[in-house]
Amino acid sequence: MGFVNADLPDVDLATWKDRPHLERMKILALHWVDYGFGTPKMIHALYGVKIAFFIVAGLLLASRTQGIGGLGDIASWWLQPIFYQKLVVWVILYEALGLGASCGPLAFRFKPWVGGCTYWLRPGTIKLPPWSGHNPIAGGSRRTVFDVFLYVGMIVSAIVLLFSNGVPKSGQPADSVGLLDPKLLAFLIGFTLVAGLRDRLLFLAARSEQYWVMCIMFATLPYVDMIVGAKLVMFAVWWGAAASKLSRHFSYVVLGMTTNSPFVPFKWFRHKLCRDFPTDVRPSRLTALLAHSGTVLEFSVPVILMFSTNRMVTLVVGAIMVIFHLYITSNFPLAVPLEWNIFYTFSLIWLYIMHPSDQYGLWSMSSWWLPTLIIIVLFGVPVLGNLRPDLISFLPAARYYAGNWATGLWAFRRGTEGQPDCEERIDTHIVKSSKNQITQLTQLYNREVAEIYLQKAVAWRYMHTHGKATASVLLTHLDSPENYDIREGEFVLSSVVGWQFGDGHLHDEFFINAVQERCHYAPGELIVVLLESQPWQTMTQRYRVVDAALGVIERGSVSVHDMLAAQPWLDDGPIPYTVHDREVTPLLDRAGGKNSTSVTKPNASHEHQPPGQPTGQPGSRPGERQSTTSAQGD
């Protein structure tokens, strides 16, 4: 991996697109094991500079408070509660501007690096309201001046808080200069809530499942309760993340993440992470050991931090957790939640080490019902999100690195006889602040290199369990994969709305319908496969096939066991899947918009579908199982 130049596979660029799709995926998956994404190390160095800016700017802003001295007077501000509160507000501002996660080349944002605010300050861009069919203030998919006003309200509220001085609060330490004014916090809390009900992107991008909750505690709870409540937020994130990793998916995440690290130069070690490189690139026992050692840490260390009254024990386990977060940061995971990991290392020191449990434990709270209520809410949402993943975003469900994610693959039909590719309409028909990734990369390199980069992202997805499922369903719904540009759904979403973080629910039927309203695809021009996460209580995952022009054309399920048995390049063909129904549901109906009448296709004949048969026509496909489940099960 060079410092300036990227590492690309040794292939003939001129004939690359002519190779069969799965052959390309095999070449790119094997190349990923050796080189990761192939990013020049210069990019990692620039991310290091970005992290340094995050730290220095945060410290400067948080220390600008009357009574606590300047940044150099560490003793005066290190234990001031308002200093920590302002750091939380700084992280909210940083993420809400789009400077944190989903920023830069490792999030496939090349030119410019930042999406976020450049989209959300612009009327006419696409927004994604939650519960659009049942949310009375949702509005449509078009961002209005009112939506921009709400977003500006979030940003201004955070800035005002950063430059405000402290006010007295019940139970504060004797040497405290005060805490953030609850009235000012109420503006940030309120703007974030209303803006989030109009566009869930804004709520999720600000990482509200953690920091917004902390702000509510800052505004409403006495000092000791506030500190313990913030500890419980971190505890719930750690335990929720650990619980979500108790699956067969997580080892695949560790394989893909570790082989993308610039600090793992040895190919022999990278190959050891696979069962039998290059014939079998599923995770080895070594990878599983690394993965679930981290899971054990995430379960055990928070318990010790929360309940230990032994100072030395607390220091040791705190140091272990700091190393854990720094290790994650060093792997530069895609979507790059680097600043989040840095902030968590500081938070665990400030909350758990500097506020030990003998003074700030659960038993220190003002009443027994308060920790009970906080625990029910903080732990109840992740539990529900794992039992019914279709109802809860993977962020509040704390499935950050689990590998058990909702996801999607998009297939745009290529142009013929001089006609432009269907993907180009994303640039020409949609109001947005940056070009599609293929356009950005073509401007930096050339079209052939751009294709390799985008297809490598698809190969990375195929290296995960869910990628094999989405690929199997998608490829059997196309007349030929060589007639389509197959794209990772996260990157389509990112170029259209300015942010992504691995939440497959964001590029669902509502989003597809918003794209279709603007791009007017004909049947067969845009095919999307959406895969839901695996619930704890089953070993199957539900999928939906969407033709942007027709609606949802098929629903079914895939066995996790079959996903685990396959290679990324599907050398034994598409993995089996079960079709539950082929009732065509228009997108507006599925997305919660206007009422539409569903159309039921004729019963499937379960005969092999001939090559070239138009998408959506009944007939069995390779790998398809006859359903034994009613359509009502979806």
Side-chain angles (χ1 to χ4, degrees), residues 347-375:
S347 283
L348 76 88
I349 294 171
W350 200 89
L351 289 172
Y352 287 96
I353 306 300
M354 308 310 296
H355 294 80
S357 295
D358 55 350
Q359 301 174 49
Y360 297 91
L362 291 178
W363 46 83
S364 306
M365 300 189 80
S366 57
S367 63
W368 65 268
W369 62 264
L370 185 58
T372 303
L373 176 63
I374 292 173
I375 289 171

Side-chain angles (χ1 to χ4, degrees), residues 137 146 150-151 153-154 157 161 182-198 203 212 215-216 219:
I137 70 167
F146 179 61
L150 293 172
Y151 176 62
M154 285 177 60
S157 298
L161 282 164
K183 295 177 183 177
L184 296 179
L185 281 164
F187 280 100
L188 178 59
I189 293 167
F191 273 116
T192 303
L193 176 62
V194 179
L197 289 172
R198 295 275 299 180
F203 191 85
W212 185 72
C215 285
I216 293 175

Side-chain angles (χ1 to χ4, degrees), residues 420-439:
D421 294 341
C422 291
E423 187 179 19
E424 292 184 17
R425 291 184 219 171
I426 297 292
D427 275 344
T428 58
H429 289 56
I430 297 177
V431 176
K432 51 196 183 75
S433 297
S434 62
K435 297 293 186 180
N436 198 359
Q437 284 93 354
I438 189 68
T439 307

